[in-house]
Amino acid sequence: MAEANCTISVWVTPGASRDEVAGLRQDLVHLRVSAPPRDGRANTAVEALLARSLEIPVSHVSILRGRTSRGKLVAIRGLADDEVRRRLRLEPPSLGR
C-alpha cells in the first residue's frame, strides 16, 4: 500500500511569544513561532512545530514554497489530509451521538 502524503497551506507569525498551532482561518493553518524570520530560523521552527504537533519525524515535514514569505506550502509525508486535520485539531469535535 502506498504511503499517504498531503500538502497544507500555512500562514506564519514569526517572533511570537510561543510556538503554537493557532487554528484554521480562510483555509490556511495559522502557526505562531517564537523564532525570528532570519537565516531560516522561522522555517526550521515551522517544520519542528508541525512535526511535534503531528507526532511524526521532522524529516517528514518540508516547506515546498514560500521560504521567504509568511504564506507557505508545506508537504507532510506519511499522513493523509484528514489525519493531519485531526492531529492539528482543525476539525470540529463530534457530537458523539
Side-chain angles (χ1 to χ4, degrees), residues 10-86:
V10 301
W11 185 261
V12 180
T13 301
S17 60
R18 65 179 180 209
D19 293 351
E20 68 178 336
V21 177
L24 184 66
R25 292 183 211 115
Q26 299 173 350
D27 295 327
L28 296 172
V29 177
H30 282 238
L31 305 175
R32 293 185 182 117
V33 294
S34 57
R38 288 190 298 278
D39 303 321
R41 288 188 238 167
N43 289 330
T44 300
V46 163
E47 291 169 341
L49 172 60
L50 286 171
R52 188 171 54 252
S53 298
L54 295 168
E55 300 175 344
I56 59 175
V58 72
S59 62
H60 289 198
V61 179
S62 59
I63 297 172
L64 298 177
R65 208 170 44 226
R67 294 197 72 79
T68 60
S69 68
R70 293 176 67 184
K72 302 177 186 304
L73 182 66
V74 180
I76 308 294
R77 188 168 48 111
L79 296 175
D81 290 333
D82 58 338
E83 183 63 13
V84 168
R85 293 176 69 82
R86 186 187 70 75

